[in-house]
Amino acid sequence: MTTEPGRNVFSKALEVSISSTEKITKCFSFLLLVLISATVLAGVISRYIFNSALTWTEELAAWTFFWLICMAIINGHIGNNHISIDLLNNYLPRSGQKLKQLVVTVIVCFSTLMLLSASWEFLNLIGGKNVSLGISNAIKVAPLPIVCIISFIFILGQKLEGISDLLIRLCAFVVSLSMWILIDYGDSFPQYDVQPSLMMAIIFVICIALGAPISFSMILATFTATASADLLPPPAVVQNMVAGGGKFILLAIPFFLSAGYLMNIGGLSNRMLDFASTLVSQYRGGLAKVNIINSLLIGGISGSSGADAASTTKVLVPEMEKRGYDAAFSCAVTASSAVLPNIIPPAITMLVLASVADISIAKLFVAGLGPGLLIAILMLVVVQIMAKRRGYESGTEKCTAKQRLKAFLHAFPALLLVIWIIGGIRFGIVTATEAGVVGMIWAVFLGAAVYREYGLKDLYTALTESAVDAGLIGFLIAVSTPFAWVMIADQVPQQIVSWAANMNLGQSGFLIVISCCMLVLGTFMDVSVTILIAVPLFLPLAKMTGIDLSLFGIVVILGAIMGNITPPVGILVFISSSIARIPPSKVFVEVLPFLLSIMVGILMVIYNEWICTGLWTLLN
């Protein structure tokens, strides 16, 4: 009789502790994003208005972004935001699910303990001061062990579903701690006569198949492979992470994400939607075509496929159903067209790829316009055929030139952002990061000051969500850096290049092989994760065969984005179907013609290189 009140007190105390930590963490992430924005903006103003460069701004912004990446370790546990692929859960009995939960928690706990130990050791090895900032270099890495410790509050206590759930997590923590103490204090790691990259790949695949977060699967696989082969000491793994997550170009990610969020809540997305409607609503299947054109236009603003799929499903799918479209087809159009923000600048995937492959972001942005427009046209053709065959929506009265002009003028402030980003970066006026921060400020100005669509609370929420999402992407990039280093050190890319040379397929053949490999990987993993793993392998092959790197980058992205609408992951299908409450299986069937159109688009791009490179050549 006395245990139940005690449990209630314990549960309430745990809930209060988690809730308070969550609020503090998100608030701190928001403040970090504001600091990053203010720092980069100060650099832009000093350079272009006062003609005096502030040498410390880039360094401070990069440091601050790494702190935001550290916060992502905690933020990812809040609401289970760390990317994972749960392939087994639906096929396991309840006892099997509990066992899997135990194993996954062990993976996360043990990975976190290894990262904590290695980061603390690395922190003690760092010496000297940063020349630009005049402060100790250790301050940049200092948050990493701290957030690892705090994250255990969420690993062990978040969303408990009873005493059995708590016991499973405590058991997992004890097992992980015992393993860590045995290895750390024993000063030895089991040695295996296995190629490090092979061991890393096996551990990684097993972990993600079990449903462990991809980032922690990478951490466990990398630490295990490097330690067992004496390939890299743990502090050096952390050093690789810091280097991978501290690149200045990555700062564009939170800025473009924020601009996209602010465009949505500021009413600018609706203005773009109205403009798209005036262009094609008079034709058969007009609203489905509006759906595609809207994604094409919004893609140049948000750079986020997930946000596009969610917002468009909420706005357009119900209206499409009212006009007689099948619900599954409506979701299929929405999910398929939502791949366009991955290829239309300023796509987040392009920023990720540019950071990994050291490709010119300006050239990559320009190269994406032609293929993006081509795939949108192919999708419009699919809609035309399907609408005619099924008798969907015969069309409305044609809009007048005056109506189109009015809609264009309403959408023009948003379109200016695209012009600024592409033009400013291409002609060397600003970097991608500087263009991003100016675009974010422009979005705030339009939404809050001009159109007055939201207040300070909405602004705080949007920027906090952007900070969390940007940190999670940055964390993936950071942990993938030593992961890729192991493959390179183990000569895996060189072996692929040697194999490809013997195949003698030519540039087009190599690109087709690359796109097929990306499709297979993208079927099981997020686009960014696929890029982070595959690009270090295929990049030497592209360089060896003389393939234009912007063309290579676009083919890689196009191959990977097909996985966004392909089972078993098909994240865009799941987003759209869950919001519309339609079985995903029905949507996957309707997606097939659109998937075929993307494949046709990839082949056209591969065999007509000018679709990617022609505009860049023209601008030169």
Side-chain angles (χ1 to χ4, degrees):
M1 294 293 291
T2 57
T3 56
E4 192 62 34
R7 285 183 190 176
N8 289 337
V9 171
F10 173 76
S11 298
K12 288 180 180 178
L14 190 61
E15 286 176 10
V16 170
S17 175
I18 289 174
S19 177
S20 300
T21 308
E22 179 180 339
K23 289 177 182 178
I24 293 170
T25 303
K26 287 191 173 182
C27 180
F28 193 59
S29 299
F30 164 79
L31 293 174
L32 287 174
L33 178 57
V34 172
L35 178 58
I36 294 170
S37 306
T39 304
V40 175
L41 188 62
V44 174
I45 292 172
S46 67
R47 190 195 311 177
Y48 296 105
I49 296 180
F50 298 106
N51 198 27
S52 175
L54 297 176
T55 56
W56 53 269
T57 54
E58 288 193 11
E59 199 70 37
L60 178 59
W63 279 39
T64 311
F65 184 65
F66 185 76
W67 298 338
L68 186 62
I69 289 174
C70 293
M71 297 306 297
I73 297 175
I74 301 175
N75 286 325
H77 292 306
I78 299 172
N80 295 321
N81 284 324
H82 284 299
I83 299 173
S84 61
I85 306 165
D86 203 340
L87 300 175
L88 301 177
N89 206 53
N90 294 332
Y91 303 98
L92 293 174
R94 185 168 180 79
S95 58
Q97 292 177 3
K98 292 292 183 182
L99 179 60
K100 185 181 76 68
Q101 181 188 352
L102 173 65
V103 175
V104 168
T105 309
V106 168
I107 291 170
V108 174
C109 285
F110 187 57
S111 301
T112 306
L113 286 169
M114 287 198 294
L115 184 59
L116 168 62
S117 175
S119 59
W120 181 255
E121 191 176 347
F122 178 59
L123 192 61
N124 291 323
L125 293 173
I126 298 176
K129 291 185 176 181
N130 182 274
V131 177
S132 300
L133 300 176
I135 57 177
S136 172
N137 288 317
I139 294 175
K140 181 177 182 179
V141 190
L144 188 53
I146 297 172
V147 297
C148 285
I149 295 171
I150 296 173
S151 67
F152 281 109
I153 297 174
F154 294 91
I155 296 171
L156 299 177
Q158 185 182 227
K159 293 184 178 180
L160 291 173
E161 296 178 359
I163 190 68
S164 62
D165 206 12
L166 177 61
L167 289 174
I168 286 173
R169 298 191 195 186
L170 288 175
C171 180
F173 178 72
V174 171
V175 170
S176 304
L177 187 61
S178 302
M179 291 166 57
W180 175 69
I181 291 173
L182 185 66
I183 292 169
D184 197 56
Y185 284 89
D187 199 27
S188 64
F189 203 95
Q191 302 293 303
Y192 301 99
D193 190 20
V194 181
Q195 194 174 354
S197 58
L198 178 60
M199 174 184 288
M200 187 175 69
I202 291 171
I203 294 171
F204 177 68
V205 170
I206 291 172
C207 289
I208 62 172
L210 288 169
I214 289 174
S215 52
F216 290 95
S217 301
M218 281 187 174
I219 292 170
L220 178 62
T222 304
F223 274 118
T224 304
T226 53
S228 64
D230 282 331
L231 193 61
L232 205 64
V237 175
V238 176
Q239 185 180 27
N240 265 269
M241 285 178 56
V242 175
K247 297 177 181 177
F248 186 70
I249 189 176
L250 296 178
L251 299 179
I253 293 174
F255 298 147
F256 288 133
L257 278 174
S258 299
Y261 274 93
L262 295 169
M263 288 289 185
N264 281 331
I265 67 172
L268 291 162
S269 297
N270 290 333
R271 286 172 170 79
M272 300 283 273
L273 181 59
D274 291 339
F275 174 54
S277 182
T278 63
L279 297 176
V280 294
S281 61
Q282 69 270 25
Y283 302 111
R284 179 174 288 279
L287 196 55
K289 292 174 180 175
V290 168
N291 197 330
I292 294 169
I293 294 178
N294 179 62
S295 293
L296 183 69
L297 296 174
I298 294 297
I301 298 172
S302 70
S304 172
S305 290
D308 178 32
S311 60
T312 307
T313 301
K314 292 175 184 176
V315 175
L316 281 184
V317 169
E319 186 61 31
M320 289 178 69
E321 288 185 65
K322 287 179 184 177
R323 298 192 188 184
Y325 291 91
D326 181 75
F329 176 79
S330 302
C331 289
V333 175
T334 304
S336 301
S337 63
V339 305
L340 292 173
N342 278 309
I343 202 70
I344 298 293
I348 302 302
T349 49
M350 289 185 176
L351 296 171
V352 173
L353 192 145
S355 70
V356 176
D358 198 24
I359 301 174
S360 164
I361 190 62
K363 192 172 183 181
L364 202 55
F365 275 5
V366 173
L369 290 172
L373 185 59
L374 171 65
I375 289 173
I377 292 171
L378 291 171
M379 287 183 177
L380 289 172
V381 172
V382 170
V383 166
Q384 177 66 25
I385 295 170
M386 299 290 284
K388 188 173 182 181
R389 182 176 297 173
R390 298 182 181 182
Y392 289 146
E393 196 183 8
S394 58
T396 60
E397 185 179 342
K398 185 177 181 179
C399 294
T400 63
K402 185 177 180 180
Q403 289 173 319
R404 286 178 177 170
L405 178 61
K406 183 179 179 181
F408 171 75
L409 292 175
H410 281 174
F412 186 67
L415 291 170
L416 268 179
L417 182 59
V418 184
I419 298 170
W420 159 252
I421 290 168
I422 297 174
I425 296 172
R426 167 61 193 89
F427 294 107
I429 302 172
V430 288
T431 65
T433 301
E434 292 169 341
V437 74
V438 173
M440 187 182 80
I441 299 301
W442 178 245
V444 172
F445 172 72
L446 290 176
V450 178
Y451 301 128
R452 298 185 181 181
E453 293 281 347
Y454 56 82
L456 291 176
K457 185 178 180 181
D458 295 323
L459 179 62
Y460 173 78
T461 302
L463 292 181
T464 302
E465 289 179 0
S466 302
V468 170
D469 289 347
L472 290 170
I473 295 171
F475 184 50
L476 268 176
I477 294 172
V479 299
S480 72
T481 303
F483 189 90
W485 185 92
V486 173
M487 291 189 290
I488 294 169
D490 215 12
Q491 301 287 306
V492 175
Q494 293 87 330
Q495 291 172 26
I496 292 175
V497 168
S498 177
W499 166 81
N502 293 331
M503 293 292 289
N504 196 26
L505 296 174
Q507 290 188 3
S508 298
F510 288 142
L511 287 172
I512 290 173
V513 169
I514 289 171
S515 63
C516 290
C517 292
M518 294 303 293
L519 170 59
V520 173
L521 290 172
T523 301
F524 295 95
M525 289 184 285
D526 179 77
V527 175
S528 296
V529 178
T530 306
I531 289 170
L532 291 169
I533 293 173
V535 166
L537 298 177
F538 293 132
L539 185 62
L541 174 61
K543 291 179 178 179
M544 181 199 75
T545 53
I547 297 170
D548 184 275
L549 290 185
S550 62
L551 173 64
F552 163 75
I554 295 302
V555 170
V556 163
I557 293 172
L558 286 173
I561 63 174
M562 286 192 287
N564 272 347
I565 54 175
T566 308
V569 178
I571 184 64
L572 297 178
V573 170
F574 284 110
I575 289 174
S576 185
S577 61
S578 63
I579 293 173
R581 298 183 180 178
I582 304 296
S585 56
K586 292 184 177 180
V587 181
F588 277 123
V589 173
E590 295 286 357
V591 155
L592 289 176
F594 296 99
L595 191 61
L596 181 61
S597 70
I598 298 175
M599 292 178 179
V600 171
I602 292 175
L603 290 174
M604 291 178 69
V605 168
I606 289 174
Y607 285 100
N608 298 276
E609 183 179 334
W610 57 268
I611 296 175
C612 271
T613 60
L615 182 57
W616 180 265
T617 304
L618 183 64
L619 290 174
N620 280 337

